[in-house]
Amino acid sequence: MKVNTKGALGFGALLATGALLLAGCAGGGGDDEGSSGGGDASAKLTVWVDANRVDALKDVAATFEEEKGIEVELVQRDFTKIQADFAAQVPTGKGPDITVGAHDWLGGFVQDGLVAPIELGDKAAEFQEVAIQAFTNEGNVYGLPYATENLALMRNVDLAPEAPTSFDDMIAKGNAAGVQYPFVVGLDPANADPYHLYPFETSFGNSVFAQNADGSYDGSQLTIGDESGLAFASWLGQQGAAGTINLNLTQDLSKEAFNSGQTPFILTGPWNVADAEAKGITVAIDPIPSAGGQTAKPFVGVQGFYLNAKSDNALAANEFLVNYLATEPVQTALYEAGDRPPALTAAYEKAASDPIIAGFGAVGAEGAPMPSIPEMGAVWEFWGVAEVAILKGEDPAATWTKMAEDIQGNIGG
């Protein structure tokens, strides 16, 4: 795969400092060592990548080596262990120059000094805005995005020929279909699922934390308990009483209800599309219907690549990220390996010829990045428990207010 190397950072800068770079390059070791702690004089970048994406990067790694004379070693890692392993190895001078990762790791990585900003320059404008926001912390971009992921409304076209215009319209269309459930969303009986219910919450104008102008979150401004949050809590109590949001429907049961034709609508992600289509269901992906009158904004998860803050090869690593990985052929290859909408706009527009990708991508473009700030860790437990209590009939206002107080106390603690 040949890629366009005319990006924000010309490789002239690397050539101008070539002697220094090559003298400082450390050996891109094996599974537990990278370029940041070896002192080896060989020019090598070590990149941690998961099994789903390693093959998609082989061609671009070879191209980089051919054109720049710097080897790129792709080290396949278990994605579920990358975050912890990276956090453990970087402070010791080990770890890769670059690692694949999720954007919600960012807050901890920045707080612990594990990752360095990347210099995207004008290239930032070539990405979907929500993808750049997701990797932004205090005005700096710390990751090279490659894919986005979010919820949307999946519809059985045979049961509901038209997309709903609101939550109430969806319930009416679902009831008119004459099936068991007008709508399903998978929940945990003990913890509900704030992630899945959040789009309805945002449709009342609520958010967990205030957002800065660059889209990043301000952990000092907890907004979940404001008047718009109380309005959502009141609505949620009404849905619990009416049975339109049902704690007895887990993720597996809601998926089975949709795939067996018991409901025309499910709030879900792209991970459930293939199984529905395998059951012979003609699906459409629609915007999430608003319950509160404003746009329903799901959380958006973004996948990308981080730069090790202790890498001796930071200049070459930035060049590889910005001018090789941030190209349409590579982002398309990564999309084809993972079936998630590409973060680079040009690659997304190509992928959007698939109406499923186009549907999820359109909803994600209106979404909000999952908060990656450390304070978010204080939110989830109280949030889910409060939603369960409200769905079971507890007083919405009192329960929601106590939840916000508990979260604030947890952050302060």
Side-chain angles (χ1 to χ4, degrees):
M1 177 188 300
K2 291 289 185 178
V3 295
N4 179 12
T5 61
K6 295 180 180 179
L9 293 180
F11 203 70
L14 180 61
L15 294 178
T17 55
L20 292 175
L21 174 67
L22 295 180
C25 280
D31 201 46
D32 294 318
E33 294 187 3
S35 66
S36 55
D40 182 18
S42 64
K44 176 188 286 190
L45 292 179
T46 303
V47 181
W48 282 2
V49 63
D50 61 307
N52 289 341
R53 272 150 282 275
V54 65
D55 288 341
L57 293 181
K58 287 180 178 178
D59 285 349
V60 69
T63 298
F64 187 80
E65 181 174 0
E66 177 186 345
E67 295 183 355
K68 309 304 176 188
I70 297 176
E71 180 185 354
V72 178
E73 180 185 18
L74 301 175
V75 180
Q76 183 175 318
R77 305 282 298 206
D78 180 345
F79 189 86
T80 63
K81 298 179 180 179
I82 287 177
Q83 182 181 13
D85 289 349
F86 188 78
Q89 291 191 30
V90 170
T92 70
K94 297 182 179 180
D97 297 286
I98 295 167
T99 185
V100 71
H103 90 270
D104 55 351
W105 305 352
L106 177 60
F109 279 0
V110 172
Q111 182 174 262
D112 295 339
L114 304 179
V115 291
I118 61 174
E119 300 298 329
L120 274 173
D122 294 340
K123 202 86 171 182
E126 298 180 19
F127 287 87
Q128 296 185 55
E129 183 179 8
V130 70
I132 295 297
Q133 288 178 345
F135 278 106
T136 298
N137 185 289
E138 295 187 355
N140 294 313
V141 179
Y142 284 89
L144 190 285
Y146 72 83
T148 64
E149 183 173 87
N150 54 268
L151 301 172
L153 187 70
M154 185 158 68
R155 171 169 52 96
N156 182 325
V157 172
D158 293 329
L159 294 177
E162 297 181 354
T165 58
S166 68
F167 184 88
D168 289 344
D169 182 52
M170 176 178 68
I171 299 304
K173 283 181 166 60
N175 285 327
V179 290
Q180 184 170 357
Y181 304 108
F183 157 75
V184 296
V185 55
L187 301 178
D188 183 314
N191 296 293
D193 192 328
Y195 174 81
H196 276 76
L197 295 179
Y198 190 64
F200 301 128
E201 189 172 333
T202 61
S203 77
F204 287 86
N206 191 239
S207 63
V208 184
F209 294 98
Q211 282 185 273
N212 301 312
D214 61 6
S216 60
Y217 290 90
D218 183 349
S220 69
Q221 295 190 55
L222 183 73
T223 55
I224 196 170
D226 66 16
E227 289 298 320
S228 61
L230 291 173
F232 164 72
S234 176
W235 173 86
L236 187 63
Q238 294 168 18
Q239 305 317 305
T244 51
I245 294 181
N246 188 342
L247 281 171
N248 294 321
L249 286 172
T250 63
Q251 290 289 331
D252 288 342
L253 290 175
S254 63
K255 176 181 175 180
E256 176 58 27
F258 185 84
N259 288 351
S260 61
Q262 297 176 62
T263 180
F265 303 107
I266 182 173
L267 183 61
T268 190
W271 48 85
N272 280 334
V273 172
D275 286 347
E277 291 181 328
K279 296 290 186 179
I281 297 173
T282 301
V283 303
I285 305 301
D286 301 324
I288 300 168
S290 174
Q294 300 185 40
T295 301
K297 300 179 178 181
F299 279 134
V300 179
V302 184
Q303 299 285 322
F305 295 90
Y306 289 102
L307 172 59
N308 184 339
K310 296 184 180 296
S311 171
D312 291 332
N313 305 318
L315 185 61
N318 199 91
E319 169 74 9
F320 182 65
L321 289 171
V322 175
N323 293 330
Y324 284 76
L325 297 192
T327 58
E328 185 275 322
V330 175
Q331 295 253 327
T332 296
L334 289 166
Y335 152 67
E336 291 172 345
D339 287 335
R340 300 296 185 267
L344 189 73
T345 301
Y348 168 72
E349 290 174 348
K350 181 176 180 180
S353 59
D354 180 341
I356 300 298
I357 293 296
F360 280 106
V363 175
E366 297 288 338
M370 175 87 75
S372 61
I373 54 177
E375 291 86 351
M376 192 64 189
V379 174
W380 292 107
E381 178 183 356
F382 297 108
W383 196 5
V385 169
E387 289 181 344
V388 168
I390 291 169
L391 286 167
K392 287 184 173 181
E394 295 293 328
D395 179 75
T399 302
W400 201 258
T401 298
K402 177 66 163 53
M403 173 203 71
E405 292 172 349
D406 288 341
I407 292 171
Q408 189 64 67
N410 202 16
I411 292 173

